[in-house]
Amino acid sequence: MTLVSEPPRRGGTPHLGAVAAQGFGLVAAALFIAPVAWTALSSFKPEAEARQPPLPPWPTTGFSVDTYRSLDQFGAGIGRYTWNSSVVAVGTVALTVLVSLLAGYGFSRFRFPLKNALFVVVMATIMIPFQSILTPLFILLSRLGLQNSLAGLVLVYVTLQLPFSVFMMRNAFDAVPREIEEAARLDGCSSLQLLARIMLPLVLPGIVTVALFAFLASWNEFLAALIFISDDRLYTLPVMMTAVSAGRMGSVDWGALQAGITVMMVPCLILFLLLQRYYIRGLTAGAVK
Amino acid sequence: MSALTQPVPRSLAPARSRPRRRLNADAVAGMLFVLPAVLLVGLFFLAPLVMTGWMSLHNWPLMGVPRFVGAQNYLSVARDVRFWHALAFTVEYTLVVTVAIFAVAFPLALYVERPRALNGAYRTAFFLPVVVGLASASLLWIWLLNVDSGLFSPAVQALGLVDHPRPLLGAFGSAVASIIVMVVWKTAGFTMVILLTGLQSIPGEIKEAAIIDGAGPWERFRMITLPLMRRTIALALIISVAGSMLAFDQFYIMVGGGPQNQTITAVYWIFNTSFVSFRLGYGAALSIVLLVLLLGLSVVQLRFLKDPDGVR
């Protein structure tokens, strides 16, 4: 991102203004980070301390993983639910990347009947909230034997990611100069070889963006997971943690809740911090166009 | 553009009929490439969309045979006081939360647009809650808001401001206010980045010319920044309004639609109808009504986006 430079013009006390501006930034940044940091730090308190108000947020009576142990007592264990969420997220990422890579290539480089109409149809689904098709989707998945299965959830998530992902990948292919593939075609490459050997590395940034969005969306999705998964052994983390927050016999295990929230947040935060520029690029691609 | 990209018949091509066959093969290849995406969208989006319309004309129980009832479900929707109440609540929530998000996101965007030390770190910090899921954020804030084991009530008590804090999620006003604060915390960074792209697309020369002409900061903001950002503001508005009109997670997780079912949103009511009462046909009719309302809302906002005299 390019920053617009402005001529320095604030006469008088530029220093004081700059200090005040930095002060504002620090306080605001602290406010935005605080809830996340508070939870992650508190999750390492011993059981008794975790029930107390988190003042201060860090453990004062020794570091402990008690909260994670008690979280593991819920249902089939936290390992099982983390596995479910991971299967759904990795499956969604893999299938979204594969399908949108092929479609992006097709929409960018080939001419065929109804091409524009098909592209518009895929894009138009973004205008329609998926919440309004949940009821028939539930019936459709049961008929296909995909209701109450992680595979069914993956297929729904991939479909929801497609408008954005196909748009991103088509743009990525559009940005690749055509001379490159024409040269390869002369050398006798088939379309598929061309895609795998020559185009793939060139559209890699687009793939990373698509994968990141697919991961965050599927890892965090709640409503469809709540509706389509009825077997509590197949719950994903958000659904399972909602059961934890409802409490057992009227009391909520706050320590377990902090631990579970931390498990849910950490992968998202790490991926975002590592791949931030791909995320912002995906966000602004739609805003600029 | 695609006219130029047509695979040109190479001089190496021996026969006259070759270019035509090549074009067909290319068309087939292109269709095969887009086929998986089109199939998925067709099966898991368009088919359910058509089915929603079809189901809405039926009395459709979970078990047993659906019965065609014509427009009866829609007549019931018109008389469904609880649905309209839920919709009214959703609209009120959308108005308040959208204003709140913009009130936080716009100053943040203006702040991080100016070059200064640590700017990248600030942007990252403001954006961080966006990547935390709405369910995680809701669960996190249930804990922070808890009267005994949370943060706010004990902190306020420790500071001696209140003697006996009340549960924040227990009363309608404080519950909705708490949820709005949570949503602003979670989404302001997103709106900030959208607005930032608009701010950065304003040419520097225009700003400099205005400064030379003696325009003050407020005048420049009103006469230059706002009009030139119309498209970006409209986009951020559409995203925020659409997201808020479909709110479910935070109200389900944080307050269960309570207290006294006062925070049931439109999607929440459809969820209850379809998946708690299992009146699937009626739920489909509610979905269609909500869908039409939202599409209408988007069209109005898109017109605002295109209308050159929309702002002023």
Side-chain angles (χ1 to χ4, degrees), chain B residues 17-87:
Chain B
S17 64
R18 191 68 191 272
R20 182 136 201 106
R21 287 226 337 252
R22 175 68 184 278
L23 188 122
N24 284 340
D26 244 41
V28 169
M31 286 168 112
L32 286 176
F33 277 122
V34 304
L35 187 66
V38 170
L39 279 183
L40 276 173
V41 168
L43 184 58
F44 293 110
F45 209 103
L46 299 181
L49 188 61
V50 173
M51 265 175 83
T52 309
W54 177 240
M55 285 175 74
S56 74
L57 304 174
H58 289 74
N59 185 338
W60 199 300
L62 185 61
M63 306 289 171
V65 185
R67 188 167 51 86
F68 187 81
V69 293
Q72 200 186 304
N73 281 329
Y74 289 96
L75 295 176
S76 305
V77 172
R79 288 192 304 266
D80 189 342
V81 180
R82 294 171 75 183
F83 172 68
W84 295 107
H85 186 273
L87 193 65

Side-chain angles (χ1 to χ4, degrees), chain A residues 24-46:
Chain A
F24 169 82
L26 285 172
V27 170
L31 284 175
F32 275 89
I33 296 175
V36 172
W38 224 279
T39 312
L41 286 170
S42 294
S43 73
F44 294 108
K45 293 180 175 190

Side-chain angles (χ1 to χ4, degrees), chain A residues 153-173:
Chain A
L153 212 50
V154 166
L155 289 170
V156 171
Y157 289 166
V158 171
T159 307
L160 296 180
Q161 284 304 113
L162 280 182
F164 167 79
S165 307
V166 171
F167 179 75
M168 279 302 295
M169 290 318 298
R170 192 199 61 162
N171 287 355
F173 281 109

Side-chain angles (χ1 to χ4, degrees), chain A residues 53-70:
Chain A
L55 294 164
W58 51 84
T60 52
T61 56
F63 175 91
S64 136
V65 290
D66 285 358
T67 60
Y68 291 87
R69 289 213 185 87
S70 65

Side-chain angles (χ1 to χ4, degrees), chain A residues 173-197:
Chain A
F173 281 109
D174 279 350
V176 176
R178 292 182 187 269
E179 292 76 28
I180 292 176
E181 67 187 296
E182 271 159 26
R185 256 192 213 281
L186 279 183
D187 290 343
C189 266
S190 74
S191 294
L192 216 52
Q193 283 173 323
L194 193 80
L195 178 61
R197 295 209 193 128

